[in-house]
Amino acid sequence: MIAREPVLEASGLRVWYGTEGDPVRAVDGVSLALRAGETLGLVGESGCGKSTLGRAIIGLLPDSAATAGSVRLRGRELLELEPSDLLSLRGPELGLIFQEPMTRLDPLVTIEDHFLEALREHEPELDSEEMRRRALEALGGMGIPPTRFRQYPHEFSGGMRQRIMIALALVLNPKVVVADEPTTALDVIVEAQILGILADLRRNFDAALLLITHNLGIVAEACDRVAVMYAGKIAEEGPARQVFSEPAHPYTRELLRSTISLSTTGLHYIPGAPPDLIDPPPACRFHPRCPDAMRVCAERDPVEVRTGEQRVLCWLHGPEDRIPPGGHAPLERREIALAEEA
Amino acid sequence: MVVAAAERAMRSGTEPLLEVRDLRTTYSLRGSFIDRLLGREAGSVKAVDGVSFDLRRGEVLGIVGESGSGKTTLGRALLGLVRPSDGSIRLDGREIAGLGERRMRPLRRRLQIVFQDPHASLNPAMTIGALVADPLRFHGLVSDAGELRDRAAAAVERVGLVPADQFLDKYPTDLSGGQKQRAVLARAIILNPEILIADEPVSMLDMSVRAKILELMLALKHEFDLTYIYITHDLATAKFFCDRIAIMYLGRIVEIGPAAEIYSNPRHPYTVSLLRAIPEPDPARAVPRDLPRGEVPDAVAPPLGCSFHPRCPRAFEVCGWESRDLRSQLEARWTRLDEREFQAERALVGDLAALDEPATECVLPAAGGRRGEEVKGVLDSLRAEAPDDPFWRGVASVAAEPHGARVRFHECIDPREVEAGPARLRCHLYDDEALARARSTDRGPGRG
C-alpha cells in the first residue's frame, strides 16, 4: 500500500478520569496515525484504554475526562475545538459505528428519514431528489432492500440494523470512521458478513477506519495495520501480517497464544491481570506478567524502537546503549497467584 | 467427595445418565393490547422443538447454537427452570420432566448450572463465603456456621481463590470477572453434583482468562467425576472442551456427533457454514465470502420444512420453499438494481404482503392496471439473474393469470432424524427418501 499523509494523527495523547490526586490514566501518551483507505485494528484486554482512545479521537469523552497532547484531523487540532464545532464535524468528517445500533437509531424515525435528516443537516445544498438518491445508494450498498426504507428500526434484525448504522456513518463520506466492537453483539455468520463489508470499505471508500475489538480473528480478517494496547500505552504497532507472524512485544505474542481458535491445540493464558490504571506498575507496565522480563524492565520506562514499519515499546529490542549494566539479567519476581486475573 | 466420585465411577454402566426424548417448550406471546382486548391468540414460540439426546456419564456434551437457537431454554428445561410442554427427561431412568418445584428441589443437588454473567449470578449483598456455602444451607445439609465456613473455604480454594481467607469475606464487586466466575463454580460444586450445565461460562471473559477458566473446569471434571453440558455459541472453545457436539438451529438439533467428527467432517450445511465463518487470528487466511445469506429467522413464524432452507447453499426441491422465500428473492433483486430499474419493476407488482402468509402456492399480484403477464416477466428476469439459485429448484411452476403470477412450489418435507456415519442429523441431503422424492419431481410439470 502506498504510504499516504495521515488523515488523523494523535501524538502524546493522554486521557485521565477523576481527580488530580488519584487520576485513572486510561490513555497515557499514545501516538497513532490513520491514513485514508486504511483500516487500523486496536486490540488489547478489557481495561487497557482502547475505547477511551477511540472516544478521544472522535471527541466523545465524558465531561469528567481531561486530555493532554494532540489529535489533529487533517491538520486541525480537535482537542482545542469548541463542543459546537466538534459536533459539526461529527458526520461529515468523523463517523461512528457502535456495538449496539439502537443507541444510534431513533425508534420513532423511519430508516429513510434518518438518512434524509443527516443529509439535510450536513449537506443542505443538495436537492431532495439527490438526497433520496444518496440515501438509496448507501442503503442498497449494504443490502437493505428499497422496499423497506419506510420501515422503523425495530422492524429490522440485528444484522440489518448494524448494516443500516454503517450506511448511516458512511452516507456523508467521512474522512475517519471509528468502529467500537461493531460485531460483538452479532451471530457468527452475520459477523462474517459485516466483516466482509468492513473489509470492502477499504477498497470502495476513502475513509480511514479505526476498528476497536478484543478479537484478534477480526483484526486478521479486516485490518491492514494493528496497534496493540496495554495499560494505556501502545505496546506495538505495525502491518497486521507482520505483527501476527512476528510479534515483537511479548504481550502481543502471549495475547495471540491465548486466543482460542479452531486451530488451537493447547490452552494457554497470560498470568495475572491488566493493572489498575490509578497506580500502574513502574517502568514497563507489562513486566509483572511478562515471561521475558529483564531487570531493566522494572527499572526504566521502555523506549519506542522502530524496525521497518513496526514499532515496539519493549526493552528486548533495545536501544542497547540505554540499558544499564546488568539490565539484561532475568527479572526475579514473586509468583503470580493463579486467581489474580481479569 | 473423593469416595463419592469413586462410587459413582463404579456404578457407571452403559446406561445414559440423562435421556432426553422429543423435548418441547412453548412460550406464549403476550401480543399487543388490542390483541388481548379482543381475546386474540398472539401465537407462541417453540423455543425447543423436539430435541432428543443422551448424556453419558462423564462426558462433555457441547450444545452449540446462535442466538435464538433455543440452547439456553434447553439448558433451563433440563433443570426444571422452564416447564417443558411435551417430551421426556429421564435422570438415571427416572422421569423428571414436569416435576413440581417441591419434588425437583432435591434433584438440583445432582444438577447444577453456571450462567454466562457471573456478576448477575452473585447476590451483591452477600459475602463470597456466604454465597458459596448457600446451597448447603438451602438444602438443609449443614447449619453450623463454622462448618459452613470451612466447607466454603475448601470449595473456594479448590477453584483457585487462594488463600481462601482473603476471599471469603469479600463481596462480589471486589472481585474481577474471572474471580467471580470461579466463585460461581465453587458454589456449583459444593453440593458435589453429577451434572453441571454451563451456559456460556467464558463468553463474557477476556481472551486471556478464558483458557484459565476452561482449564479449571476440566480439572474439576476429573476430580469430581462430573458430567458437563457446555452451552455456547463459540465453536472454537467447544472444540477444545467437548467430547460430543450438538448443533442447534431454531429449536432443533440439526446435527449431533463426536466432536472430532463434527469438526473434521461436518455434514449439515449449517454446521459447515458456522465452521467456515469463524475468523482465524491469521491474516493469511480469510473467511470465505460465499456464506449463507440473511440471518436466523424469527422463531414465531419459522420457515416451512427445514428451518435453514432459505439460507442453505445446498437446499433442493423438497426443503421447504414457499411464498416468503419469493418475497426475499424479489427484495434482494431490487436491492441490486439501480433506482430507475427498481421503480419500473416495483410499479408492475402489487402489495408484497400477499406473500407473507407461508404457503406452497401463492399469487404475486399485479399492481392496479397491470397484467399478470408483466408480473411473470419480472419473475423471469429474476430467474435469468441466478438460474442456479437453490430457490428455483423449489419452484414447480410459474404461470401468468389475469391479475398476477401464480407460483407453485414443490411440496416440502419436514426433515427427520437420519444417521450418517457416527453423526445423527436432520437434513434431506442424507435422507434417501427425501432425495428420491426430489428426483421424482424432476419429471413433474414446470421443470426446465
Side-chain angles (χ1 to χ4, degrees):
Chain A
M1 187 160 291
I2 318 144
R4 295 193 241 182
E5 274 298 291
V7 191
L8 184 127
E9 212 169 0
S11 53
L13 177 64
R14 290 171 203 277
V15 183
W16 63 95
Y17 296 107
T19 55
E20 274 303 306
D22 249 353
V24 177
R25 294 188 212 104
V27 176
D28 198 6
V30 162
S31 298
L32 215 55
L34 292 174
R35 290 179 181 77
E38 192 177 77
T39 300
L40 174 68
L42 184 60
V43 294
E45 291 163 278
S46 33
C48 281
K50 309 187 291 284
S51 287
T52 301
L53 176 56
R55 283 170 179 267
I57 283 173
I58 46 181
L60 262 189
L61 289 170
D63 290 340
S64 59
T67 54
S70 137
V71 180
R72 279 198 307 279
L73 175 69
R74 298 204 284 168
R76 224 165 138 191
E77 181 54 57
L78 293 184
L79 293 185
E80 285 161 13
L81 284 185
E82 291 296 319
S84 60
D85 293 331
L86 194 59
L87 196 64
S88 69
L89 291 181
R90 224 174 280 145
E93 298 276 331
L94 296 165
L96 305 170
I97 301 167
F98 293 119
Q99 178 175 339
E100 179 39 69
M102 285 310 277
T103 53
R104 184 77 204 289
L105 301 173
D106 185 336
L108 301 177
V109 174
T110 64
I111 293 309
E112 185 174 37
D113 283 341
H114 274 95
F115 285 80
L116 298 182
E117 203 174 294
L119 288 164
R120 238 178 264 131
E121 169 88 23
H122 293 286
E123 299 184 31
E125 69 282 3
L126 297 181
D127 64 36
S128 57
E129 204 33 53
E130 178 65 11
M131 284 188 193
R132 260 187 59 77
R133 200 194 56 75
R134 282 271 292 277
L136 275 169
E137 192 184 82
L139 283 162
M142 293 294 146
I144 307 295
T147 40
R148 302 191 60 182
F149 289 0
R150 301 256 161 82
Q151 292 185 340
Y152 291 89
H154 75 267
E155 297 177 77
F156 291 87
S157 62
M160 286 252 210
R161 278 186 214 143
Q162 195 56 285
R163 288 160 194 256
I164 290 167
M165 188 155 72
I166 295 172
L168 193 55
L170 296 175
V171 70
L172 298 169
N173 293 319
K175 303 296 175 291
V176 174
V177 177
V178 173
D180 193 352
E181 302 277 6
T183 62
T184 305
L186 303 174
D187 285 329
V188 59
I189 294 175
V190 179
E191 172 176 74
Q193 294 165 352
I194 300 281
L195 287 179
I197 289 173
L198 291 177
D200 289 344
L201 291 184
R202 287 182 277 184
R203 285 186 279 281
N204 307 335
F205 280 81
D206 221 16
L209 178 65
L210 180 69
L211 180 60
I212 301 171
T213 177
H214 66 280
N215 186 334
L216 289 165
I218 289 174
V219 175
E221 194 61 35
C223 299
D224 305 295
R225 301 176 67 79
V226 57
V228 182
M229 203 164 173
Y230 187 75
K233 293 178 182 290
I234 303 292
E236 174 169 8
E237 198 233 314
R241 272 174 187 266
Q242 206 172 315
V243 171
F244 276 71
S245 61
E246 289 167 62
H249 200 290
Y251 179 59
T252 312
R253 187 189 70 213
E254 297 300 303
L255 209 53
L256 279 163
R257 284 182 70 196
S258 60
T259 298
I260 302 171
S261 76
L262 287 178
S263 46
T264 300
T265 51
L267 287 180
H268 182 82
Y269 52 81
I270 312 177
D276 175 357
L277 295 176
I278 294 175
D279 184 23
C284 174
R285 290 176 179 182
F286 188 57
H287 86 258
R289 302 173 74 189
C290 182
D292 302 339
M294 306 181 292
R295 224 177 263 165
V296 62
C297 306
E299 290 162 8
R300 294 191 181 189
D301 283 339
V303 181
E304 190 174 288
V305 178
R306 285 178 180 274
T307 49
E309 281 192 83
Q310 224 162 335
R311 62 182 167 118
V312 58
L313 201 60
C314 175
W315 283 116
L316 284 176
H317 302 269
E320 288 301 320
D321 56 341
R322 304 273 288 271
I323 301 178
H328 286 289
L331 183 69
E332 285 168 31
R333 333 158 257 198
R334 66 184 182 94
E335 197 70 8
I336 294 178
L338 180 64
E340 277 180 47
E341 67 195 7
Chain B
M1 280 190 187
V2 179
V3 178
E7 248 173 55
R8 215 177 268 166
M10 292 276 288
R11 65 183 149 88
S12 74
T14 46
E15 286 296 291
L17 183 55
L18 199 68
E19 269 176 288
V20 178
R21 289 294 174 271
D22 207 26
L23 190 71
R24 288 166 204 276
T25 66
T26 313
Y27 288 117
S28 303
L29 295 177
R30 267 169 60 101
S32 69
F33 172 69
I34 301 287
D35 288 338
R36 273 174 283 151
L37 203 64
L38 298 176
R40 273 202 297 246
E41 283 283 327
S44 59
V45 182
K46 294 176 191 153
V48 176
D49 187 16
V51 162
S52 303
F53 65 88
D54 287 344
L55 181 67
R56 297 165 201 151
R57 208 177 286 275
E59 76 170 342
V60 182
L61 173 67
I63 298 195
V64 181
E66 296 181 279
S67 44
S69 64
K71 59 186 191 297
T72 292
T73 306
L74 173 60
R76 288 165 170 263
L78 297 178
L79 276 172
L81 298 173
V82 171
R83 216 177 187 31
S85 54
D86 203 0
S88 136
I89 306 168
R90 300 175 86 86
L91 176 65
D92 269 336
R94 181 177 160 211
E95 182 61 52
I96 62 166
L99 284 188
E101 179 58 28
R102 200 173 51 84
R103 294 175 60 199
M104 194 66 206
R105 193 168 286 177
L107 291 172
R108 295 231 175 87
R109 285 165 54 184
R110 303 176 61 187
L111 288 154
Q112 284 285 310
I113 189 162
V114 171
F115 293 108
Q116 174 175 6
D117 184 354
H119 190 68
S121 309
L122 297 171
N123 182 341
M126 288 167 78
T127 63
I128 297 301
L131 280 164
V132 169
D134 195 48
L136 292 172
R137 204 188 46 74
F138 180 84
H139 287 281
L141 300 173
V142 179
S143 54
D144 175 66
E147 194 188 340
L148 281 173
R149 193 177 167 91
D150 290 347
R151 292 279 295 270
V156 158
E157 294 220 341
R158 182 56 204 88
V159 297
L161 298 175
V162 185
D165 283 338
Q166 250 184 50
F167 291 95
L168 288 179
D169 299 317
K170 283 193 170 158
Y171 288 88
T173 46
D174 301 329
L175 269 53
S176 69
Q179 289 171 337
K180 275 183 233 172
Q181 201 59 299
R182 286 176 190 269
V184 170
L185 281 166
R187 182 176 60 183
I189 59 161
I190 203 161
L191 291 173
N192 194 19
E194 289 165 66
I195 300 174
L196 190 65
I197 298 173
D199 189 355
E200 303 271 17
V202 297
S203 48
M204 283 186 73
L205 305 176
D206 248 311
M207 277 300 174
S208 55
V209 183
R210 284 182 191 180
K212 268 191 271 192
I213 298 292
L214 289 177
E215 214 172 68
L216 169 65
M217 288 180 65
L218 285 175
L220 292 175
K221 175 185 178 299
H222 293 304
E223 186 171 336
F224 300 111
D225 196 27
L226 286 162
T227 302
Y228 279 146
I229 292 182
Y230 179 68
I231 299 173
T232 186
H233 72 282
D234 178 14
L235 273 163
T237 55
K239 181 179 183 186
F240 215 86
F241 201 60
C242 303
D243 304 310
R244 278 195 309 143
I245 303 272
I247 307 280
M248 283 190 78
Y249 192 73
L250 231 58
R252 288 180 166 182
I253 292 179
V254 296
E255 180 164 9
I256 182 169
E261 183 73 12
I262 297 283
Y263 288 94
S264 63
N265 186 18
R267 289 179 170 84
H268 199 289
Y270 177 59
T271 314
V272 174
S273 313
L274 274 182
L275 284 169
R276 294 173 77 221
I278 299 173
E280 281 286 306
D282 177 359
R285 288 165 58 189
V287 167
R289 290 306 179 88
D290 56 338
L291 288 168
R293 54 196 167 201
E295 290 172 56
V296 179
D298 189 353
V300 177
L304 298 183
C306 169
S307 292
F308 188 58
H309 86 261
R311 309 173 70 192
C312 182
R314 297 179 66 194
F316 54 100
E317 285 80 354
V318 296
C319 289
W321 297 103
E322 43 139 320
S323 51
R324 289 173 295 174
D325 299 319
L326 176 58
R327 179 176 180 148
S328 313
Q329 288 282 329
L330 266 178
E331 288 187 324
R333 168 176 165 80
W334 288 342
T335 309
R336 291 186 292 268
L337 293 184
D338 72 33
E339 204 200 345
R340 198 174 313 155
E341 290 170 305
F342 158 62
Q343 296 294 1
E345 274 193 14
R346 186 70 195 87
L348 301 176
V349 179
D351 192 355
L352 292 181
L355 305 177
D356 288 348
E357 196 58 42
T360 50
E361 183 171 339
C362 61
V363 175
L364 179 62
R370 296 295 185 168
R371 290 174 301 116
E373 271 305 326
E374 290 175 287
V375 176
K376 182 169 181 294
V378 171
L379 293 180
D380 290 342
S381 351
L382 175 63
R383 186 171 204 153
E385 217 181 357
D388 297 329
D389 192 290
F391 171 79
W392 293 106
R393 294 187 66 176
V395 174
S397 67
V398 179
E401 291 185 355
H403 301 294
R406 181 171 295 274
V407 180
R408 283 197 187 86
F409 296 92
H410 294 295
E411 279 307 312
C412 66
I413 313 173
D414 200 20
R416 55 176 186 167
E417 282 195 357
V418 288
E419 307 264 340
R424 204 153 46 90
L425 63 162
R426 285 181 191 261
C427 177
H428 290 330
L429 285 168
Y430 299 88
D431 188 340
D432 292 337
E433 218 171 279
L435 290 167
R437 274 274 289 278
R439 271 195 299 276
S440 72
T441 62
D442 271 346
R443 295 186 298 271
R447 273 293 294 190

